[in-house]
Amino acid sequence: MEALLVIDYTVDFVNGALPVGQPAEAIEARIAELTEEHLKRGDLVVMAVDLHEADDPTHPESKLFPPHNIRGTAGRELFGRLRAVYEQNQDRILWMDKTRYSAFHGTALADELKKRGISRVHLIGVCTDICVLHTAVDAYNLGLKIVVHPSAVASFNSAGHDWALQHFQGSLGAEVRD
Ligand code: ZN
């Protein structure tokens, strides 16, 4: 069994409060397709979703980004086709709120992987060079094998996107493939 981590593919990050925009819209079908593929294989599928509270000046991101993914708002819903895939398979998908870039920081993700004996994680979602990158770094430090699907990650920063894809491969030993 392996795991698919679907990172921050929400309305706010695609075309809402903190939008990646076109590059994120362009991966909508592939995100849904890979999620269905991993469900079919019987893998653990995790929705790792940024969670912020309204008016939280103590959060480090409040100085860096406009408010986004606020608890209970429509911006925090999964975007597009992924939402339907999630709703149809909710009993088999693990929803994991996260409050930092990495899906591992302050979450039970490492334990959930460990108790299932999972040693390989597949990463998709946004942004390639922020939340996907920080999640990959933590996976690397935990000794997990990493696969990043380039057709299903995106960033508003195309130079950062390209750099991160190199970094996954060259420094984290990840397989970058579709
Ligand atoms: Zn955030």
Side-chain angles (χ1 to χ4, degrees), residues 44-178:
L44 173 67
V45 172
V46 179
M47 296 296 145
V49 182
D50 210 17
L51 172 65
H52 292 286
E53 305 298 339
D55 304 315
D56 180 7
T58 63
H59 195 289
E61 282 176 34
S62 62
K63 288 190 185 68
L64 298 168
F65 301 111
H68 59 275
N69 269 41
I70 305 292
R71 185 191 295 276
T73 60
R76 214 178 159 250
E77 303 281 355
L78 298 172
F79 180 81
R81 283 176 54 185
L82 180 65
R83 183 175 174 172
V85 174
Y86 174 71
E87 282 169 358
Q88 286 152 21
N89 299 279
Q90 258 186 69
D91 50 326
R92 299 164 56 209
I93 295 177
L94 197 56
W95 182 282
M96 196 148 278
D97 292 335
K98 65 182 184 68
T99 63
R100 293 296 189 270
Y101 301 143
S102 171
F104 289 94
H105 184 94
T107 73
L109 180 56
D111 291 337
E112 295 289 346
L113 298 177
K114 202 173 173 184
K115 78 181 182 200
R116 291 170 175 82
I118 293 171
S119 60
R120 179 179 276 116
V121 293
H122 297 244
L123 307 183
I124 62 175
V126 296
C127 302
T128 321
D129 51 334
I130 306 180
C131 290
V132 178
L133 174 68
H134 284 247
T135 299
V137 169
D138 279 349
Y140 171 84
N141 286 330
L142 287 165
L144 297 164
K145 297 183 191 80
I146 303 161
V147 180
V148 179
H149 298 287
S151 64
V153 291
S155 176
F156 50 83
N157 175 348
S158 68
H161 171 85
D162 292 342
W163 173 85
L165 290 179
Q166 291 298 319
H167 187 77
F168 295 142
Q169 221 160 4
S171 299
L172 304 179
E175 291 174 60
V176 177
R177 59 159 163 95
D178 282 312

